[in-house]
Amino acid sequence: MQAGERVHHMDNLRALAMLAGVVFHAALAYSPLMHPIWPLADAGRSIAVDAVAWFLHLFRMPLFFVVAGFFAALLVARRGMAGLFRNRAARVLLPLVLFLPLVLISMHWLTMQAVANVAHPSPALVWMRGWIEQHDSLPLLPGWAHLWFLFYLLLFTVLTWVASSLGLRSLGQRIAALPPLALILLFPIPLTLALAGTTAPWPAPEFVLPSLWAMAFFGLYFALGYQLFQRHEMLDRMRPWSMLLLVGAVLGYALLFHSTDGFALTRPKTLQHAMHAALEAYAGLWMTLWCLLAGKRWLDRRSPTMRWLADASYWTYLVHLPLLFAIQYRLLDVLLHWMAKFAIAVLATFAVSFVSYRLVVRHTLMGRLL
């Protein structure tokens, strides 16, 4: 790989993982699982939304952290550890500092407007109205919102330096050298242990302090991506297993969805919880590996359209949740089928994000930053 050469399939996978976040977050308004707690929850909902949305959730962020680990290793190889830190300070830390206050304040303001004006409020909005009646206001709670992944990327950047300083690269290389079948079957075991520390499906670790389970879970995926750059043949050796990975992931998720009653089982017994964590770990890893194989097969080429989407995806992900709040709060009072509302929310969010990127962001300092 020559210096400065773009890795097209990884660039495109990163873009698709980010853009899929818009679809996932828009779907939560029509999820029976999220209906009691999601402020955008609509009266129309379907179990089919949960079946599809949580399957996407299973591998979307793991795939993103694999790609992030791959590019971290690429930066270290091309620019050294100092270059990695400079890049992450500009492309991760600075956007987090700039956008987090804007995101939190805008979503809080939009929610307060919805509490005051929506005629058909969600259960969460009803609860907020009751709280405000008793306490006069609703505080702006701290957190990372949907930008939590930037916080964890910064943590993993520091841990990359720590691992390099302690000489832990050889351990990762020995793991990467395992036969493909051994890696496919054994790597989910530590993922299972990490997921045993949370619920199924795993929640977004958006609290201010890092979650131990999330550090271990996403850190393992980040480390896997780092090793994929170090050992390019690692992914190719898994190609004969591609179809079995896809079938196994779908069947594993189907069993998980069925055994949790569509994730409605809130208090599983210890053995049930362990089984659910294992199913999540195996199905999620296998689907992530299949996406990597599919991306290398079908997305590893120059494409002006995919290049533009890759450039626009970061901006889209940063601004999409406030846009969804603005759109889906208005849709609560619109008499349409949930499928029509879902389509409107997704298409309108993409349209505003892409147009604003093209006209306001792309050719500016912010566009170069993102």
Side-chain angles (χ1 to χ4, degrees), residues 281-301:
Y282 276 89
L285 174 71
W286 293 348
M287 195 64 204
T288 300
L289 292 175
W290 182 84
C291 287
L292 291 166
L293 290 166
K296 194 167 184 180
R297 180 176 180 181
W298 291 307
L299 299 176
D300 195 20
R301 59 181 182 272

Side-chain angles (χ1 to χ4, degrees), residues 280-346:
E280 246 188 322
Y282 276 89
L285 174 71
W286 293 348
M287 195 64 204
T288 300
L289 292 175
W290 182 84
C291 287
L292 291 166
L293 290 166
K296 194 167 184 180
R297 180 176 180 181
W298 291 307
L299 299 176
D300 195 20
R301 59 181 182 272
R302 296 179 183 273
S303 166
T305 300
M306 286 305 304
R307 172 65 187 271
W308 194 93
L309 288 175
D311 291 343
S313 61
Y314 196 0
W315 166 259
T316 300
Y317 195 84
L318 290 173
V319 303
H320 83 276
L321 200 55
L323 289 175
L324 281 175
F325 270 52
I327 295 165
Q328 291 188 308
Y329 276 142
R330 293 295 184 93
L331 289 175
L332 289 178
D333 289 336
V334 176
L335 295 177
L336 284 174
H337 193 275
W338 70 263
M339 284 194 225
K341 292 185 180 183
F342 174 60
I344 291 170
V346 171

